[in-house]
């Protein structure tokens, strides 16, 4: 398996524009996680899915953020409208069903909002 | 609620010397504990995990970690540091039941000098 695949790797957008980040989890993994990494706040959990269903979105910072998982092999994280403070590295990760298994991370998307 | 603390933002060690990166955790149930490493502009890579059993866990690249339940700690160790070990290290906890996400500490930068 190629691992968790995220696209794009880098995104530069203007304030107010819509941004969509994409993730393909490892085949067979039931859990998918979105994290955000910043210098100030470290690695924050935004939302996670189990079998395509959102389980906990309490980490989503504002209504401008939304995430979907229409099928087992694809998820999106959308920011609309984007703001400069959304600039960060966004990671997607996936793991198997059981709680004692590690999560595997994608390479991340570096988002810059100017 | 789960939480992880990494008390040191940075750890400096000379090549060949032993290294320790500290981590303490807080969960209401039994913990599953993980260490990840992040190299510049890369995603997080899994190093090792503690699930149950032997308190000393061995992982990738010669790293090991010691679980101490009474001190709620899970420190990462290596007997002899390499310059190539220089990276950002994250400790993470997942409460001992299926379905919960990994919660990460803020990370510790390890710098190994030659």
């Amino acid at each position: 398996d190629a691992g968790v695949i995220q696209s794009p790797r880098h995104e530069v957008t203007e304030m107010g524009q819509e941004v969509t980040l994409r993730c393909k989890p490892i085949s067979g993994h039931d859990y998918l996680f979105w994290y955000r990494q910043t210098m100030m706040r470290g690695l924050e959990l935004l939302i996670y899915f189990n079998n395509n269903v959102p389980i906990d979105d309490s980490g989503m910072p504002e209504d401008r953020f939304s995430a979907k998982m229409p099928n087992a092999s694809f998820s999106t994280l959308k920011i609309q409208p984007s703001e400069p403070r959304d600039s960060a590295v966004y990671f997607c990760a996936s793991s198997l069903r059981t709680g004692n298994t590690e999560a595997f991370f994608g390479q991340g998307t570096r988002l810059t909002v100017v | 609620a789960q939480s992880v603390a990494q008390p040191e933002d940075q750890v400096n060690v000379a090549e060949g010397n032993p290294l320790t990166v500290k981590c303490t955790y807080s969960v209401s149930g039994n913990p599953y504990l993980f260490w990840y490493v992040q190299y510049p502009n890369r995603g997080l890579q899994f190093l090792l995990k503690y699930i149950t059993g032997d308190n000393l866990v061995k992982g990738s690249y010669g790293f090991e970690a010691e679980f101490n339940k009474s001190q709620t700690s899970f420190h990462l160790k290596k007997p002899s540091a390499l310059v190539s070990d220089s990276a950002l290290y994250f400790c993470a906890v997942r409460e001992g039941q299926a379905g919960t996400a990994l919660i990460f500490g803020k990370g510790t930068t390890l710098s190994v000098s030659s």
Side-chain angles (χ1 to χ4, degrees):
Chain A
D1 199 312
V4 177
I5 300 173
Q6 291 186 246
S7 63
R9 289 294 309 277
H10 303 274
E11 177 80 38
V12 180
T13 190
E14 292 185 347
M15 182 174 63
Q17 296 298 306
E18 177 180 296
V19 175
T20 299
L21 311 181
R22 297 172 174 79
C23 175
K24 181 181 187 302
I26 293 173
S27 177
H29 282 190
D30 292 333
Y31 288 90
L32 182 139
F33 310 89
W34 283 101
Y35 289 88
R36 178 172 70 175
Q37 184 180 28
T38 61
M39 290 289 290
M40 291 296 294
R41 302 171 75 95
L43 203 60
E44 304 172 276
L45 175 67
L46 299 177
I47 184 172
Y48 74 96
F49 297 82
N50 178 22
N51 291 326
N52 314 336
V53 176
I55 302 301
D56 184 353
D57 66 354
S58 60
M60 297 285 262
E62 300 174 31
D63 291 345
R64 299 184 295 105
F65 286 69
S66 62
K68 294 182 179 180
M69 193 166 186
N71 57 61
S73 59
F74 184 66
S75 176
T76 60
L77 178 68
K78 186 176 294 186
I79 309 172
Q80 165 65 16
S82 58
E83 296 182 3
R85 59 194 168 117
D86 301 331
S87 297
V89 181
Y90 291 81
F91 287 104
C92 175
S94 69
S95 71
L96 288 169
R97 180 176 300 126
T98 54
N100 61 2
T101 56
E102 59 272 26
F104 293 85
F105 281 73
Q107 299 279 29
T109 295
R110 182 174 296 277
L111 173 65
T112 303
V113 183
V114 297
Chain B
Q2 311 164 77
S3 67
V4 175
Q6 293 181 242
E8 302 155 316
D9 290 337
Q10 177 142 353
V11 170
N12 300 310
V13 64
E15 187 174 32
N17 284 357
L19 69 88
T20 299
V21 183
K22 296 180 180 178
C23 170
T24 58
Y25 66 90
S26 175
V27 296
S28 56
N30 291 324
Y32 296 147
L33 295 156
F34 304 80
W35 276 101
Y36 284 79
V37 60
Q38 183 182 31
Y39 297 100
N41 301 313
R42 303 292 298 276
L44 277 71
Q45 298 178 31
F46 169 73
L47 275 180
L48 51 80
K49 65 182 177 184
Y50 170 82
I51 303 303
T52 187
D54 194 347
N55 289 344
L56 186 64
V57 179
K58 294 189 184 297
S60 306
Y61 313 119
F63 284 94
E64 56 190 28
E66 187 168 12
F67 171 67
N68 188 317
K69 187 172 183 178
S70 63
Q71 297 185 7
T72 61
S73 67
F74 189 55
H75 300 331
L76 181 70
K77 300 181 179 183
K78 188 173 182 181
S80 179
L82 299 172
V83 172
S84 57
D85 293 331
S86 299
L88 181 58
Y89 290 81
F90 288 96
C91 181
V93 66
R94 182 185 249 169
E95 197 169 349
Q97 61 183 27
T100 57
L102 282 170
I103 301 301
F104 286 85
K106 286 205 161 185
T108 298
T109 299
L110 174 65
S111 179
V112 182
S113 57
S114 58

